[in-house]
Amino acid sequence: DVKVTQSSRYLVKRTGEKVFLECVQDMDHENMFWYRQDPGLGLRLIYFSYDVKMKEKGDIPEGYSVSREKKERFSLILESASTNQTSMYLCASTQLNEKLFFGSGTQLSVL
Amino acid sequence: DQQVKQNSPSLSVQEGRISILNCDYTNSMFDYFLWYKKYPAEGPTFLISISSIKDKNEDGRFTVFLNKSAKHLSLHIVPSQPGDSAVYFCGGEYGNKLVFGAGTILRVKS
């Protein structure tokens, strides 16, 4: 069965900390995505990657970076966490022109 | 600039009746549209999709209609069940990118 695993369900960090959110998929998918979900704003695309070491900015990349050193792993990095980055973060993966599979999400609180 | 808009933040429907969730888009490059359903504390799950060359796709109780000239699509759920209560996201896809709307909270009352 298809699986996208996000390393943490809940995370609490302090302003200014460097934060790593990890995502692993076991389906050998080419494409991986990071979204954040906020009330009234829906799912907004932060970054995506269509191959190892390849990345593209989504709609709201500011304050974030990503790393894809291996096909199965896509990391989201908050270089210096701020309170407006408190959100639910969702990782997803897909093969080209197929449906997205999402992880369960990481609820990040930045204090 | 929101390319996909779901203008109704919430919808309440009686069990057994039809639920209609609406979605408007601005990007003519979308070649695929998808609906996802999300329960609290879970990731979204795929529900149904439609290619831009079609105007209707049906899967059991779920039907998606696409009106390209109006840049509008809708999801119909018939009959609605209490287990359908969730947040529904409409998404448009072009190239490798999938963009979602703000979501609509559906509550089905028994």
Side-chain angles (χ1 to χ4, degrees):
Chain A
D1 201 14
V2 157
K3 205 157 185 184
V4 178
T5 304
Q6 293 182 234
S7 53
S8 306
R9 288 301 300 270
Y10 301 96
L11 215 50
V12 180
K13 296 292 181 181
R14 294 205 177 275
T15 303
E17 276 192 76
K18 191 168 185 175
V19 182
F20 292 87
L21 302 182
E22 305 287 348
C23 175
V24 177
Q25 50 98 0
D26 64 0
M27 298 158 284
D28 201 36
H29 283 166
E30 303 289 337
N31 302 333
M32 295 187 75
F33 304 77
W34 276 105
Y35 290 87
R36 60 180 280 180
Q37 182 195 0
D38 300 288
L41 297 174
L43 299 171
R44 293 182 293 166
L45 181 62
I46 304 171
Y47 265 98
F48 64 103
S49 166
Y50 50 89
D51 201 354
V52 175
K53 295 192 189 294
M54 305 300 286
K55 61 186 179 185
E56 286 215 20
K57 293 180 180 179
D59 299 317
I60 51 163
E62 297 77 20
Y64 302 94
S65 63
V66 290
S67 171
R68 188 141 181 231
E69 296 297 318
K70 293 185 178 181
K71 192 176 185 180
E72 67 269 18
R73 186 179 295 270
F74 192 35
S75 304
L76 180 69
I77 303 152
L78 286 66
E79 296 291 340
S80 177
S82 63
T83 54
N84 63 13
Q85 291 178 311
T86 290
S87 186
M88 167 67 79
Y89 289 88
L90 289 156
C91 173
S93 74
T94 184
Q95 207 58 345
L96 188 61
N97 295 327
E98 293 185 6
K99 61 187 181 187
L100 277 182
F101 291 92
F102 282 89
S104 299
T106 296
Q107 179 62 53
L108 173 67
S109 297
V110 183
L111 306 177
Chain B
D1 175 36
Q2 251 191 324
Q3 299 181 58
V4 179
K5 295 180 185 178
Q6 293 177 257
N7 292 318
S8 298
S10 65
L11 176 67
S12 188
V13 170
Q14 199 65 35
E15 181 180 6
R17 298 288 185 98
I18 185 171
S19 295
I20 301 176
L21 294 94
N22 293 303
C23 179
D24 297 296
Y25 63 95
T26 57
N27 191 340
S28 303
M29 301 294 290
F30 287 140
D31 50 20
Y32 220 66
F33 299 92
L34 304 94
W35 284 92
Y36 278 76
K37 180 167 84 169
K38 186 181 185 298
Y39 294 117
E42 294 182 16
T45 54
F46 172 77
L47 194 56
I48 192 168
S49 64
I50 187 166
S51 165
S52 61
I53 61 172
K54 295 193 172 182
D55 55 20
K56 180 182 173 181
N57 188 27
E58 198 171 347
D59 183 4
R61 295 186 298 116
F62 303 93
T63 303
V64 57
F65 295 94
L66 174 62
N67 182 334
K68 280 192 76 175
S69 60
K71 290 193 171 74
H72 177 84
L73 61 154
S74 61
L75 173 68
H76 293 211
I77 306 173
V78 183
S80 302
Q81 299 173 354
D84 295 329
S85 296
V87 180
Y88 289 77
F89 293 102
C90 168
E93 182 179 304
Y94 64 100
N96 284 311
K97 199 171 171 183
L98 179 53
V99 180
F100 289 96
T104 297
I105 300 170
L106 174 65
R107 293 187 186 90
V108 180
K109 299 176 288 186
S110 54

